[in-house]
């Protein structure tokens, strides 16, 4: 599998953790800036949801896909946006995907903030990884800036 098609299937423990985070977010409780991302399916047009970590860096907000080119990534690319939900609040969002060359500082911040949760997906890298190391893995980690 090359970096452009990297996708890690969630394990049962991951699914249980995600279900708990989603359950809390649906009730208006955010854990470390978690939200429910809702995106229209690119084939079905149906709303699809998944918990995500919303991150703010220098005033801009981002979503990172630690498992790679997942279904939500493919759907948001096709739709150009979706909704971020927390409790009864839903925020319509548009996104712009970052180029691989621009991802290193965002990935580093992501690892600093959520490495405890997602670090295992980063092939042994952590918040202290060099720019070169992060640039090398960047194609496998889609990053979206909320527009």
């Amino acid at each position: 599998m090359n970096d452009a098609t990297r996708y890690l299937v969630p394990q049962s423990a991951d699914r249980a953790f995600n279900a708990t985070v989603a359950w809390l977010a649906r009730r208006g409780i955010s854990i470390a800036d978690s939200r429910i991302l809702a995106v229209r399916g690119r084939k079905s047009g149906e709303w699809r949801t998944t918990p995500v970590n919303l991150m703010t860096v220098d005033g801009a907000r981002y979503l990172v896909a630690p498992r790679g080119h997942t279904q939500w990534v493919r759907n948001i690319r096709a739709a150009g946006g979706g909704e971020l939900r927390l409790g009864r609040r839903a925020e319509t969002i548009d996104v712009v995907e970052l180029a691989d060359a621009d991802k290193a500082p965002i990935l580093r911040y992501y690892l600093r903030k959520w490495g405890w949760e997602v670090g295992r997906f980063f092939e042994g890298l952590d918040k202290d990884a060099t720019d070169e190391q992060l640039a090398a893995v960047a194609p496998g980690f889609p990053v979206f800036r909320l527009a």
Side-chain angles (χ1 to χ4, degrees), residues 63-118:
L63 297 174
V64 175
R67 287 191 179 88
H69 300 269
T70 61
Q71 294 301 318
W72 78 257
V73 168
R74 294 174 184 142
N75 288 337
I76 208 164
R77 282 178 179 147
E83 291 182 353
L84 286 177
R85 299 174 180 174
L86 183 62
R88 294 181 184 205
R89 293 173 288 175
E91 174 189 3
T92 301
I93 59 167
D94 294 316
V95 297
V96 175
E97 189 166 4
L98 268 61
D100 293 339
D102 299 327
K103 292 179 185 177
I106 304 306
L107 292 176
R108 179 174 291 106
Y109 189 90
Y110 189 77
L111 285 166
R112 187 176 298 132
K113 189 162 185 180
W114 286 291
W116 59 273
E117 176 189 351
V118 300

